[in-house]
Amino acid sequence: MTDQKLKRLQGYWSALRAGRPAPRRSEIDPRRIEPLLENAFILERTARDAARFRLAGAHFCTLMGMEIRGMPVNAIFVPGYRAACDRAVSAVFDEGAQVLLDLVAEEPGRMALSGRMLILPLASETGVLSRAMGGLVTAGIIGAPPRRFSIRGQQTLDPAAGAYPTLRDRPGFAEAAIPFRTRPLRALDGDGPSPAPPRGRPARLRLVENDD
């Protein structure tokens, strides 16, 4: 598996924004990205350094073993990396950054699961960056859920580059940082556990709610 889905998602987002800092949330048409919906998500900012999943595709339910709509985005990370996740998400909303996270899920006695998570800003009708869209792809055997991730690195996409490295079919990633300004993230301890929402049937991503 490769991260072609993330490339297509970024290309769709870039075409929609047409030179603006970000496209509007109301401009997203799920029919144009139907093959990507399983891996896609929409985030809603809830505080200066926090966001929650407003919508999420079925791949997230497979990883976590539950419906994650309404959960904080940092809930899919191990506690030591949740603050790093919050900083990355804040960069999307505060700076309009396009952020790519290199991820790994490692647990004793289980095969490592690699992943990449792309987060892209979206604007409200008033121009405020209050939403974000993105996707998560993984390589490896998921096995029994939940699978939570550590962050191995954060890369900020250079819009002029037009491309980014490929996730290969192996536990690690090839180094190809030229299209990015790379900023490694340091793990922080002390984050408390996030409450789990009620379990439910995985829902297909639908982008039909109002923006504001």
Side-chain angles (χ1 to χ4, degrees):
M1 178 179 179
T2 68
D3 57 347
Q4 289 296 323
K5 287 186 176 182
L6 298 188
K7 291 184 178 182
R8 290 179 62 185
L9 191 65
Q10 197 278 338
Y12 174 72
W13 175 90
S14 184
L16 278 182
R17 72 172 181 155
R20 297 170 295 173
R24 296 188 186 278
R25 166 65 187 81
S26 58
E27 294 174 322
I28 303 299
D29 182 356
R31 295 171 297 181
R32 300 292 301 274
I33 54 172
E34 186 172 359
L36 317 178
L37 295 181
E38 180 182 10
N39 299 82
F41 60 84
I42 295 287
L43 300 181
E44 176 185 22
R45 193 174 201 179
T46 56
R48 180 173 179 81
D49 59 351
R52 69 182 177 96
F53 286 103
R54 190 172 180 90
L55 296 166
H59 189 57
F60 290 84
C61 299
T62 302
L63 287 167
M64 298 298 293
M66 65 183 75
E67 170 65 66
I68 68 167
R69 182 173 53 189
M71 293 174 62
V73 63
N74 64 18
I76 69 171
F77 295 88
V78 296
Y81 285 87
R82 288 174 182 168
C85 167
D86 293 340
R87 292 196 300 271
V89 172
S90 292
V92 174
F93 291 121
D94 293 338
E95 306 168 21
Q98 304 172 52
V99 171
L100 183 71
L101 300 177
D102 284 354
L103 310 177
V104 63
E106 296 178 305
E107 301 170 60
R110 302 186 68 177
M111 294 184 62
L113 180 68
S114 297
R116 275 191 168 174
M117 186 174 186
L118 177 67
I119 312 174
L120 306 165
L122 294 174
S124 69
E125 293 303 313
T126 59
V128 176
L129 300 182
S130 58
R131 300 281 195 277
M133 68 178 295
L136 172 67
V137 296
T138 59
I141 298 174
I142 295 176
R147 299 302 301 267
R148 289 187 169 88
F149 295 95
S150 301
I151 300 175
R152 300 194 300 185
Q154 174 184 333
Q155 300 174 315
T156 302
L157 180 62
D158 180 356
Y164 53 85
T166 297
L167 172 62
R168 302 188 185 278
D169 291 324
R170 58 184 180 83
F173 294 105
E175 291 295 333
I178 293 176
F180 296 92
R181 299 185 299 277
T182 303
R183 296 181 294 167
L185 295 182
R186 178 172 59 86
L188 297 179
D189 297 321
D191 291 322
S194 299
R199 294 178 179 271
R201 297 178 60 187
R204 184 174 178 83
L205 180 65
R206 296 194 301 270
L207 307 178
V208 296
E209 89 287 355
N210 293 328
D211 182 56
D212 295 311

